[in-house]
Amino acid sequence: MPPYRFSFGPWNLSDGPDPFGPAVRGSFTFVEKVKLAKEMGFDALQFHDDDAVPDLDARSSAEIVRQARATKQILTDHGLVAEFVAPRLWFSPQTIDGAFTSNDAADRSYALERSIKAIDIGHELGTNILVLWLARDGTYVREAKSVPCAMRYLVGAIDQMLEYDKNLRILVEPKPNEPTDQAYIPTVGHAVALSYQTSDPTRMGILIETAHQILAGLDPSDEMGFALSFNKLWSVHLNDQSGLKFDEDKSFGEVDLRRAFNQVRVLEENNYGNNGEYVGLDVKALRTQRKEVSAKHLANSRETFLWLLDKVRTLNRRLYAELVKQRDYEELTRYITAHLLGVQY
Ligand code: XLS
Ligand code: MG
């Protein structure tokens, strides 16, 4: 059994702005973030394209390659690798109405070109994984777009990426809302269905984020099990979420420990990681943290995963199977509660 390997993105270490107020602490430089990742026991970093190449839209292809190589060198110098690159398709004026599903053909071309740049950056960073979080591909007003038409645009763009790089693997990260009112690929089921519409479903996988499943009213561990049953769970963004509100990206397990336990259980029971998949954390530091303690959420989330892994591995599997056989689920839930609390059972 290979040990689990962990990753996060540079955006998970921030100076604390939110939509209602500015930064509240100093920022870490990229090199400081890489050092922190290594110190905290992480193995890889995840990248938005412009985390690796700042000011991407303003740069020539030669500059993009040069900057991406410099970023890769920093990773190598610190013993880390890149897990994936994700094009930032939600920031520029050209993505206001969506990226691949914008009603404007010029904007759709921008989204594809930007994604191709992200693929090129991935080459330089040594990863063939592209993550698509389809942030603005959806609507605020239902009548604004045609869904079948939007799906044709989306599949067409994905096919062009798959054609551009024959080794590329694309992971769709579904999320039901925010920033849009309704997203077009809101759930894991939609992402699986989308993958089968593309020219090469074998190169299409899913990244499941805990909070996004909760926002969709679904159970994260069941969604992981569903994707695993199609061999499509190729990355995760573990975090936590308190109910149906904005995407909180809380530390893993800090809202609902039992829900976190079940995510670790499903990953462990289905050999997640055996094909090189990482345990990614997409967690946000509380705005109230001072800078010197503003990386704890990452170390804590990783440690909680390992604590829960121990709980999964020390389950009394004979008792578990017997209770399922007896269909005594009341006793099963009691046993799990006792086990999580460390109560002698
Ligand atoms: C936002 C997403 C984002 C992606 C990476 O809700 O979780 O952080 O994971 O682009
Ligand atoms: Mg995420």
Side-chain angles (χ1 to χ4, degrees), residues 217-234:
L218 299 167
D219 180 82
S221 65
D222 275 3
E223 296 308 297
M224 287 173 187
F226 179 80
L228 283 161
S229 76
F230 288 89
N231 290 320
K232 289 208 175 291
L233 188 63
W234 298 348

Side-chain angles (χ1 to χ4, degrees), residues 11 48 86 90 133 173 175 207 209 212 237 247 249 282:
W11 64 89
H48 291 143
W90 51 93
W133 171 45
E173 178 179 349
K175 182 178 180 182
L207 182 156
E209 173 161 326
H212 299 179
H237 268 170
D247 187 3
D249 294 342
D282 198 359

Side-chain angles (χ1 to χ4, degrees), residues 175-192:
K175 182 178 180 182
N177 60 277
E178 197 201 29
T180 55
D181 173 53
Q182 295 284 340
Y184 280 147
I185 305 296
T187 69
V188 176
H190 289 79
V192 170

